[in-house]
Amino acid sequence: MADGYSVLAPVYDRLNDTVDYAAWADFLEACIERFGSGTSGTPKDGASILDLGCGTGSMTIELAKRGYDMTALDLSEDMLAEADVRAREAGLDNILFLCENMCCFDLYGTVDHIVCCLDGINHLTNREDLLECFSNAAMFLNPGGLFMFDLNTPYKFKTTYADRDYILEDDGIMCCWRNRLNKKGDVVTFYLTVYEENEDGTWERTDGEERERAYGLRSIKNALESCGLELVNVSAGYDFAEPDETCGRWYITARKANS
């Protein structure tokens, strides 16, 4: 069985076309303005941003269009290939794409901020990988820089995910998405089957598998602090709303100390 996101790469954007990346990028810039304390936080300053687990590059491209100097990495070559095509079509030349693991990545230098969108951190299913990712983020962040990411919450794992099956359809494509939650309720396995219509009218099937882990806020806060990052904000949405017990996604901002 193939890697789940290699399976989804050709159709990923069509299955996530409801995500408002412009509004999300507005929120990221608001976080930079509100919580950032570095010396170069805006495109006018030549600010640089690393996009961890960039996928097909939707957020990377949105931020690059706003003038940020972007580095984007993903472990999936198929996802990066899609991202590179999209960046070229957009006429962007301020993006460096790297095929690397988000846990143990290496860069050519430091960056002003780091983002990780669409529950990339949930895909780190053991604490060692989580700590390695946070430690690397701290190492490559400039002082005062922000690490901004989102998480699917434990509540979402037990309700929206759980042992549920979904079918996502679009013209010429169908994705069957089966969820299986472990007994502890903190790890879900996604069994993915994608059917894509060929030009001759036949259909091609591809199967893949992915896993996510739910983390509590205290666990995330402790992990960040152990790596030299301070948790400065948790929001339930792009409007900085306070999360409650039924919140399905947390938007988290952490900051590296100035010294």
Side-chain angles (χ1 to χ4, degrees):
M1 186 172 288
D3 170 79
Y5 281 92
S6 293
V7 171
L8 288 176
V11 297
Y12 185 80
D13 294 315
R14 293 166 65 187
L15 296 176
N16 287 280
D17 60 0
T18 60
V19 178
D20 190 341
Y21 285 99
W24 200 337
D26 288 343
F27 171 70
L28 295 175
E29 290 192 303
C31 287
I32 291 172
E33 182 177 353
R34 184 177 297 194
F35 305 113
S37 58
T39 57
S40 55
T42 70
K44 291 182 180 179
D45 302 319
S48 56
I49 296 181
L50 168 65
D51 189 358
L52 284 181
C54 67
T56 57
S58 293
M59 182 56 76
T60 305
I61 290 169
E62 179 63 36
L63 292 171
K65 287 179 178 178
R66 299 177 184 220
Y68 292 97
D69 183 14
M70 297 300 300
T71 300
L73 64 85
D74 201 285
L75 191 58
S76 169
E77 294 182 1
D78 297 302
M79 287 287 194
L80 286 173
E82 294 288 331
D84 185 59
V85 169
R86 295 183 61 204
R88 291 177 185 275
E89 289 176 347
L92 296 168
D93 59 3
N94 54 341
I95 303 175
L96 172 64
F97 289 108
L98 300 173
C99 187
E100 292 194 46
N101 190 317
M102 63 186 290
C103 295
C104 51
F105 60 90
D106 191 14
L107 303 179
Y108 298 102
T110 56
V111 294
D112 294 306
H113 306 293
I114 297 176
V115 301
C116 183
C117 299
L118 283 177
D119 45 90
I121 299 299
N122 288 112
H123 284 84
L124 306 178
T125 55
N126 64 71
R127 182 173 172 79
E128 290 74 22
D129 286 344
L130 183 75
L131 289 172
E132 188 172 15
C133 176
F134 286 0
S135 178
N136 254 23
M139 179 169 59
F140 285 105
L141 267 176
N142 286 329
L146 301 181
F147 181 22
M148 298 169 283
F149 58 93
D150 63 285
L151 283 170
N152 286 324
T153 66
Y155 177 82
K156 184 174 182 177
F157 272 63
K158 296 175 182 178
T159 55
T160 305
Y161 284 165
D163 287 339
R164 297 178 181 270
D165 300 336
Y166 298 93
I167 294 179
L168 309 174
E169 294 183 85
D170 198 357
D171 291 339
I173 179 177
M174 182 172 69
C175 177
C176 302
W177 192 299
R178 295 176 294 132
N179 302 336
R180 296 298 178 263
L181 190 65
N182 67 351
K183 291 183 179 180
K184 190 177 179 181
D186 65 344
V187 175
V188 65
T189 302
F190 307 116
Y191 298 97
L192 308 169
T193 299
V194 173
Y195 297 91
E196 191 171 7
E197 188 176 16
N198 298 317
E199 292 184 0
D200 61 2
T202 61
W203 289 75
E204 185 172 347
R205 170 177 173 167
T206 312
D207 296 285
E209 181 179 319
E210 278 294 329
R211 298 171 70 211
E212 286 194 14
R213 178 176 177 178
Y215 290 98
L217 279 179
R218 179 173 294 182
S219 177
I220 290 295
K221 182 176 184 292
N222 290 341
L224 287 168
E225 289 179 350
S226 71
C227 297
L229 297 167
E230 177 192 5
L231 178 64
V232 294
N233 186 68
V234 181
S235 298
Y238 306 150
D239 57 355
F240 293 96
E242 188 78 17
D244 60 22
E245 67 275 5
T246 63
C247 179
R249 186 180 296 272
W250 293 319
Y251 297 87
I252 294 174
T253 303
R255 182 174 57 219
K256 181 176 179 178
N258 276 312
S259 57

